[in-house]
Amino acid sequence: MGAHLRNSDWSGSTLGKPESWPISLRTLLQMMLDSGLPMVLFWGRDLVTFYNDAFYQSTNNGLDLHQLGRPGKESWSNVWPVIAPVIDSVMTGRDPVLTQNESFQLHGDGNAWSYSLGRISDDQGLINGVMVTCLQKTERVDTASQLQLSEQRFQNLVREASVGIIMLSGPEMRVEIVNEAYATLIDRKPSQLLGKELFDIIPEAREPFHAIISNVLRTSEPVYLYAQPYFVAIENGKKEGFLDLVYHPYRELDGSVTGVIVLCQDVTQQVKARRLLEESEARLRSLVDSAPFPIGVYTGLEMRIQMVNQSIVDVWGKGADIVGKRYAEVLPELEGKGIYEQLEQVYRTGKPFYAHNQRVDLVISGQLQRFYFKYIFTPLFDQSGNVYGVMNTAADVTDLMVAYEQLEETQASLKGAITLAHLGTWELDLETKKLTYSDSIKEWFGFEQDQVPVDQAFDAIHHTDRVSVEEAINQALTPGSGGMYDAEYRIAGSSTRNERIVHAMGKVIYDSDGQPHKLLGTAQDVTIERGQQQELERLVEDRTAELGALNEELAAQNEEYMAVNEELEEANQLLARSNESLQQFAYVASHDLQEPLRKIRQFSDRLMSFNVNASEKELQYLERIQAAAGRMSVLVSDLLDFSSITADPATNQFVALNSVVETVMSDLDLAILETGANIQIDELPIVSGNASQLGQLFQNLLSNALKFRKPGLSPVITITYEQIGQDALPIFLKPIRHTKTYHKIQVTDNGIGFGQQYVDRIFQMFQRLHGRSQYAGTGIGLAICEKIVSNHGGAITAISEPDQGASFVIYFPN
């Protein structure tokens, strides 16, 4: 039966292959197979059926061996409705069951059987099965004979069993039954044990076994121990090893527990073998973990990851918690790349697979990255020679392959550059005196072969250049010369090719002994360049002669220019003195003219006060005198302002324009109040300049906006600001100072406006667009504005239409 169990295909079973079965199941099966009592085991969730040879023979070999390993409801389908409740009651209850009637019947031979059913625990101590022991009884013998027969059979079975069996009675644990197998385990004879208290014979084994047996007697619960270490004293020392033990309470017919039956299976060799295997596996795992290259082990057709080292974890970049997962689950990005198929092929055929410099794209931190590996998939075989998994070893050659690809790209680029530069490459073997070359040189020299002796190459060189070429080669080969070769020579023409001029450069390559080994380099056809150089040299000579004549002519003209420059310098000095005199005259004249104007106005005021009887016409004359004197006074004042602005350019200090405008509005407060003006001001910049002049600029502009208002309409004035680039300047505007950006300030009103054709005229001195009777003024205010803006390196212009208001736009350099 054991052979049948070993040879059966368990891959489709819920238990899996026997090597993966729990130790408790394997131990129970070993004991059951060695027992002479008919026994049946129901195991696991599906109550999978196992039985021994004794049970098979008790059915007169009438069982189908295919029932073995199948769920109980399939193996015993004809009686399952009857026996299933009994099995369930044993598994859920605490006490074993002894049946002597037809409520539980595994045999169908017409004979009467009694069955003892006990619970079985797994490796974790959980109830996971039921063991059934069968005893036959007949109607032809009485109860005493039946008991005697059963007792005899039991004794024979115990005595012949290969498993150690001992029955202990009472709390003193007296040996009632013992077989040869048990006595051999402790190096005794059965006669030395029968009728004696066990731990009087082997006191050294009292701990821990005495407590275990006492617990079984007290609780009536079986105990299962696996690979339990033991030792007993013998004549020459001690005997020690490992046992799988089953402690089962012995029940009388009335159900009382009077002893304990102990089944002992010597597993010393198995434990030692397992420990050796574990040590071997530990050494293997240590070797795998410490290996500097990736290693992984995958089991089953689904390739479940059994073992990996840190190298493969680092390469995959999936984290450390990958053991136990499927290969395809960890590396889904490999689907469709052929790698899954390679693993399956190795698993099914048992033949290894080798990959060389294989590209593998892996997802690392959410990014698909390119790798290259040399890897091997090696089949793993179990003891039966069947493939149970695949070992993966690999070498990361990404850096090597990337470097190789870069080298290929570099070589391709170099080849392309050589082709584009019309270069040829050559190599001279100094030992064989053979010259190899590229297609370009092959064409230039008219060679037919890909390699020629160096003498043949010399024959193609113009005879007057051969000596210089040979000297250049010898110089490169001279020790201490640096090994550099540089020569320019002509290739003699023939009926099939024209004469060429070639410039060759090269470098000597030395062998391991420091001796010249090769001379290799490049060559360039410079025929056209040399022709162009000669033509250029001729042109240079011609131009040099022409320039000589031209220089003589220029020298004569230079003398004339120097005389003219002296005259210009003298004229500039006179002009400067004239401008200075004019400014002084304007300043002095303005001050001197103010005095007689004040007297004219004073005397006219007195005449009007004295001549109370003057006629209306006389009073009109006096009023006209006062008005003319007032206009003259304003004109002189404006001239004085203009003169001062001209004489005093803008000083270099930072001026906040918002502060300047606020001061101006304070000065114009009365006019703003009288006209009901609404003035809105943006945030203005800080500029470099003269605060007084900038104040006069905004006072003139705001005064004009208030003065030239529409009748009956309150003025609305806005001052806006923006920074613009040089390309946004009006094309007709030329600021004094050029810069990349400008401050654009725009003063806009809703007044009477003017025609755009007058925009240049209004910034000139004494220019007016309206009569004095309509709007007072001298025509100098906007000229002063233009002068102030120029002093600050900027420009000013205006945009207007009649009755549409006016906008004065100022551009200051930033």
Side-chain angles (χ1 to χ4, degrees), residues 343-383:
L343 285 167
E344 183 177 353
Q345 180 184 2
V346 172
Y347 186 84
R348 293 189 181 281
T349 66
K351 296 180 181 179
F353 178 85
Y354 301 88
H356 298 281
N357 304 332
Q358 177 72 39
R359 175 173 173 173
V360 180
D361 294 340
L362 299 176
V363 175
I364 309 294
S365 299
Q367 298 292 326
L368 192 64
Q369 299 183 23
R370 180 183 58 172
F371 293 88
Y372 291 91
F373 296 100
K374 286 185 177 181
Y375 61 85
I376 304 174
F377 292 146
T378 305
L380 299 176
F381 299 92
D382 59 18
Q383 295 178 347

Coordinates of all heavy atoms in Angstrom, one line a residue, residues 343-383:
L343 N 10.5 30.5 -19.5 CA 10.4 29.8 -18.2 C 9.6 28.6 -18.3 O 9.9 27.5 -17.8 CB 9.9 30.8 -17.1 CG 10.8 31.8 -16.6 CD1 10.0 32.9 -15.8 CD2 11.8 31.2 -15.7
E344 N 8.4 28.7 -19.0 CA 7.6 27.5 -19.1 C 8.2 26.4 -19.9 O 8.1 25.2 -19.6 CB 6.3 28.0 -19.8 CG 5.3 26.8 -20.0 CD 3.9 27.3 -20.6 OE1 3.8 28.5 -20.8 OE2 3.1 26.4 -20.9
Q345 N 9.0 26.8 -21.0 CA 9.7 25.8 -21.8 C 10.7 25.0 -20.9 O 10.8 23.8 -21.0 CB 10.4 26.5 -22.9 CG 11.2 25.5 -23.8 CD 11.9 26.3 -24.9 OE1 11.9 27.5 -25.0 NE2 12.6 25.5 -25.8
V346 N 11.5 25.8 -20.1 CA 12.4 25.1 -19.2 C 11.7 24.2 -18.2 O 12.2 23.0 -18.0 CB 13.3 26.2 -18.4 CG1 14.1 25.5 -17.4 CG2 14.1 27.0 -19.4
Y347 N 10.6 24.6 -17.7 CA 9.9 23.8 -16.7 C 9.3 22.5 -17.4 O 9.3 21.4 -16.8 CB 8.7 24.6 -16.1 CG 8.0 23.9 -15.0 CD1 8.4 24.0 -13.7 CD2 6.8 23.2 -15.3 CE1 7.8 23.3 -12.7 CE2 6.1 22.6 -14.2 CZ 6.6 22.6 -12.9 OH 5.9 22.0 -11.9
R348 N 8.8 22.6 -18.6 CA 8.2 21.5 -19.2 C 9.2 20.5 -19.9 O 9.0 19.3 -19.9 CB 7.2 21.9 -20.3 CG 6.0 22.7 -19.8 CD 5.0 22.9 -20.8 NE 3.8 23.7 -20.3 CZ 2.8 23.1 -19.7 NH1 2.8 21.8 -19.4 NH2 1.8 23.9 -19.2
T349 N 10.3 21.0 -20.4 CA 11.3 20.2 -21.1 C 12.5 19.8 -20.2 O 13.2 18.8 -20.5 CB 11.9 20.9 -22.3 OG1 12.6 22.1 -21.8 CG2 10.8 21.4 -23.2
G350 N 12.7 20.5 -19.1 CA 13.9 20.2 -18.2 C 15.2 20.6 -18.9 O 16.3 20.1 -18.4
K351 N 15.2 21.4 -19.9 CA 16.4 21.9 -20.5 C 16.6 23.3 -20.2 O 15.7 24.1 -20.3 CB 16.3 21.7 -22.0 CG 16.2 20.2 -22.5 CD 16.1 20.1 -24.0 CE 15.9 18.6 -24.4 NZ 15.8 18.5 -25.9
P352 N 17.9 23.7 -19.9 CA 18.2 25.1 -19.5 C 18.0 26.0 -20.7 O 18.1 25.6 -21.9 CB 19.6 25.1 -19.0 CG 20.2 23.9 -19.6 CD 19.1 22.9 -19.8
F353 N 17.9 27.3 -20.4 CA 17.8 28.3 -21.5 C 18.8 29.4 -21.2 O 19.0 29.9 -20.0 CB 16.4 29.0 -21.5 CG 16.3 30.1 -22.5 CD1 15.9 29.8 -23.8 CD2 16.5 31.4 -22.2 CE1 15.8 30.8 -24.8 CE2 16.4 32.4 -23.1 CZ 16.1 32.1 -24.4
Y354 N 19.6 29.8 -22.2 CA 20.6 30.8 -22.1 C 20.3 32.0 -22.9 O 19.9 31.9 -24.1 CB 22.0 30.2 -22.6 CG 22.4 29.0 -21.8 CD1 22.0 27.7 -22.3 CD2 23.2 29.0 -20.7 CE1 22.4 26.5 -21.6 CE2 23.6 27.9 -20.0 CZ 23.2 26.7 -20.5 OH 23.6 25.5 -19.8
A355 N 20.4 33.2 -22.3 CA 20.2 34.4 -23.1 C 21.5 35.3 -22.9 O 22.0 35.4 -21.8 CB 19.0 35.2 -22.5
H356 N 21.9 35.9 -24.0 CA 23.1 36.7 -24.0 C 22.8 38.1 -24.4 O 22.2 38.4 -25.4 CB 24.2 36.1 -25.0 CG 24.6 34.7 -24.7 ND1 25.5 34.4 -23.8 CD2 24.2 33.5 -25.2 CE1 25.7 33.1 -23.7 NE2 24.9 32.5 -24.6
N357 N 23.1 39.0 -23.5 CA 23.0 40.5 -23.7 C 21.5 40.8 -24.2 O 21.3 41.5 -25.1 CB 24.0 41.0 -24.7 CG 25.4 40.7 -24.3 OD1 25.7 40.6 -23.2 ND2 26.3 40.5 -25.3
Q358 N 20.6 40.1 -23.4 CA 19.2 40.3 -23.8 C 18.6 41.6 -23.2 O 18.9 41.9 -22.0 CB 18.4 39.1 -23.2 CG 16.9 39.2 -23.4 CD 16.5 39.0 -24.8 OE1 17.0 38.1 -25.5 NE2 15.5 39.7 -25.3
R359 N 17.9 42.4 -24.0 CA 17.3 43.6 -23.5 C 16.1 43.3 -22.7 O 15.2 42.5 -23.2 CB 17.0 44.6 -24.6 CG 16.2 45.8 -24.2 CD 16.1 46.8 -25.3 NE 15.2 47.9 -24.8 CZ 15.0 49.0 -25.5 NH1 15.6 49.2 -26.7 NH2 14.2 50.0 -25.1
V360 N 15.9 43.8 -21.5 CA 14.8 43.6 -20.7 C 14.4 45.0 -20.1 O 15.2 45.7 -19.5 CB 15.1 42.7 -19.5 CG1 13.8 42.5 -18.6 CG2 15.6 41.3 -20.0
D361 N 13.1 45.4 -20.4 CA 12.6 46.7 -19.9 C 11.8 46.5 -18.6 O 10.9 45.8 -18.6 CB 11.8 47.4 -21.0 CG 12.6 47.8 -22.2 OD1 13.8 47.9 -22.1 OD2 12.0 48.0 -23.3
L362 N 12.3 47.1 -17.5 CA 11.6 47.0 -16.2 C 11.1 48.3 -15.8 O 11.7 49.4 -16.0 CB 12.7 46.5 -15.2 CG 13.3 45.1 -15.5 CD1 14.3 44.8 -14.4 CD2 12.2 44.0 -15.5
V363 N 9.9 48.2 -15.1 CA 9.3 49.4 -14.5 C 9.9 49.7 -13.1 O 9.8 48.9 -12.2 CB 7.8 49.3 -14.4 CG1 7.2 50.5 -13.7 CG2 7.2 49.1 -15.8
I364 N 10.7 50.8 -13.0 CA 11.3 51.1 -11.7 C 10.8 52.5 -11.3 O 10.9 53.5 -12.1 CB 12.9 51.2 -11.9 CG1 13.5 50.0 -12.5 CG2 13.5 51.5 -10.5 CD1 13.3 48.7 -11.7
S365 N 10.1 52.5 -10.1 CA 9.6 53.8 -9.6 C 8.6 54.4 -10.6 O 8.6 55.6 -10.8 CB 10.7 54.8 -9.2 OG 11.5 54.2 -8.2
G366 N 7.8 53.6 -11.3 CA 6.8 54.0 -12.2 C 7.3 54.4 -13.6 O 6.6 54.8 -14.4
Q367 N 8.6 54.3 -13.8 CA 9.2 54.6 -15.1 C 9.8 53.3 -15.8 O 10.5 52.6 -15.1 CB 10.4 55.6 -14.9 CG 9.9 57.0 -14.4 CD 9.0 57.7 -15.3 OE1 9.2 57.7 -16.5 NE2 8.0 58.5 -14.8
L368 N 9.5 53.1 -17.1 CA 10.0 52.0 -17.8 C 11.5 52.3 -18.2 O 11.7 53.3 -18.9 CB 9.2 51.8 -19.1 CG 9.4 50.4 -19.8 CD1 9.0 49.3 -18.9 CD2 8.7 50.4 -21.1
Q369 N 12.4 51.4 -17.7 CA 13.8 51.7 -17.9 C 14.4 50.5 -18.6 O 13.9 49.3 -18.5 CB 14.5 51.9 -16.5 CG 14.0 53.1 -15.8 CD 14.8 53.3 -14.5 OE1 15.9 52.8 -14.3 NE2 14.2 53.9 -13.5
R370 N 15.4 50.8 -19.4 CA 16.1 49.7 -20.3 C 17.2 49.1 -19.5 O 18.1 49.8 -18.9 CB 16.5 50.4 -21.6 CG 17.2 49.4 -22.5 CD 17.7 50.2 -23.7 NE 18.6 51.2 -23.4 CZ 19.3 51.9 -24.3 NH1 19.2 51.7 -25.6 NH2 20.2 52.9 -23.9
F371 N 17.3 47.7 -19.5 CA 18.4 47.0 -19.0 C 18.8 45.9 -20.0 O 18.1 45.6 -20.9 CB 18.0 46.3 -17.7 CG 17.7 47.2 -16.5 CD1 16.4 47.7 -16.4 CD2 18.7 47.6 -15.6 CE1 16.1 48.6 -15.3 CE2 18.4 48.4 -14.6 CZ 17.1 48.9 -14.4
Y372 N 20.0 45.4 -19.8 CA 20.6 44.3 -20.6 C 21.1 43.3 -19.6 O 21.8 43.6 -18.6 CB 21.7 44.8 -21.5 CG 21.2 45.6 -22.7 CD1 21.1 47.0 -22.5 CD2 20.7 45.1 -23.8 CE1 20.7 47.8 -23.6 CE2 20.2 45.9 -24.9 CZ 20.2 47.2 -24.7 OH 19.8 48.0 -25.7
F373 N 20.8 42.0 -19.8 CA 21.2 40.9 -19.0 C 21.8 39.7 -19.8 O 21.3 39.4 -20.9 CB 20.1 40.4 -18.1 CG 19.5 41.4 -17.1 CD1 18.4 42.1 -17.4 CD2 20.2 41.7 -15.9 CE1 17.8 43.0 -16.6 CE2 19.7 42.6 -15.0 CZ 18.5 43.3 -15.4
K374 N 22.8 39.1 -19.2 CA 23.1 37.7 -19.6 C 22.4 36.8 -18.5 O 22.7 37.0 -17.3 CB 24.6 37.4 -19.6 CG 25.3 38.0 -20.8 CD 26.8 37.6 -20.7 CE 27.5 38.2 -22.0 NZ 28.9 37.8 -22.0
Y375 N 21.5 35.9 -18.9 CA 20.8 35.2 -17.8 C 20.6 33.7 -18.3 O 20.7 33.4 -19.5 CB 19.5 35.8 -17.5 CG 18.4 35.9 -18.6 CD1 17.6 34.8 -18.9 CD2 18.3 37.1 -19.3 CE1 16.6 34.9 -19.9 CE2 17.3 37.2 -20.3 CZ 16.5 36.1 -20.6 OH 15.6 36.2 -21.5
I376 N 20.4 32.9 -17.2 CA 20.2 31.4 -17.5 C 19.0 31.0 -16.6 O 18.9 31.3 -15.5 CB 21.5 30.6 -17.0 CG1 22.7 31.1 -17.7 CG2 21.3 29.1 -17.3 CD1 24.0 30.4 -17.2
F377 N 18.1 30.3 -17.3 CA 17.0 29.6 -16.6 C 17.4 28.1 -16.5 O 17.5 27.4 -17.5 CB 15.7 29.8 -17.3 CG 15.2 31.2 -17.3 CD1 14.5 31.7 -18.4 CD2 15.4 32.0 -16.2 CE1 14.0 33.0 -18.4 CE2 14.9 33.3 -16.2 CZ 14.2 33.8 -17.3
T378 N 17.7 27.6 -15.3 CA 18.1 26.3 -15.0 C 17.0 25.4 -14.4 O 16.5 25.9 -13.3 CB 19.3 26.2 -14.1 OG1 20.3 27.1 -14.7 CG2 19.9 24.8 -14.0
P379 N 16.6 24.3 -14.9 CA 15.6 23.5 -14.3 C 16.0 22.9 -12.9 O 17.2 22.5 -12.8 CB 15.3 22.4 -15.3 CG 16.5 22.2 -16.1 CD 17.1 23.6 -16.1
L380 N 15.1 22.8 -11.9 CA 15.4 22.2 -10.6 C 14.6 20.9 -10.6 O 13.4 20.9 -10.8 CB 15.0 23.1 -9.5 CG 15.7 24.5 -9.5 CD1 15.2 25.3 -8.4 CD2 17.2 24.3 -9.3
F381 N 15.3 19.8 -10.2 CA 14.6 18.4 -10.1 C 14.5 18.0 -8.7 O 15.3 18.2 -7.8 CB 15.5 17.4 -10.9 CG 15.6 17.8 -12.4 CD1 16.7 18.5 -12.8 CD2 14.7 17.4 -13.3 CE1 16.9 18.8 -14.1 CE2 14.9 17.7 -14.7 CZ 16.0 18.4 -15.1
D382 N 13.3 17.2 -8.4 CA 13.1 16.6 -7.1 C 13.8 15.3 -7.1 O 14.5 14.9 -8.1 CB 11.7 16.6 -6.8 CG 10.8 15.8 -7.8 OD1 11.4 15.0 -8.5 OD2 9.6 15.9 -7.8
Q383 N 13.6 14.5 -6.0 CA 14.2 13.2 -5.8 C 13.8 12.2 -6.9 O 14.4 11.2 -7.2 CB 14.0 12.7 -4.4 CG 14.6 13.5 -3.3 CD 14.3 13.0 -1.9 OE1 13.5 12.2 -1.8 NE2 15.0 13.5 -1.0

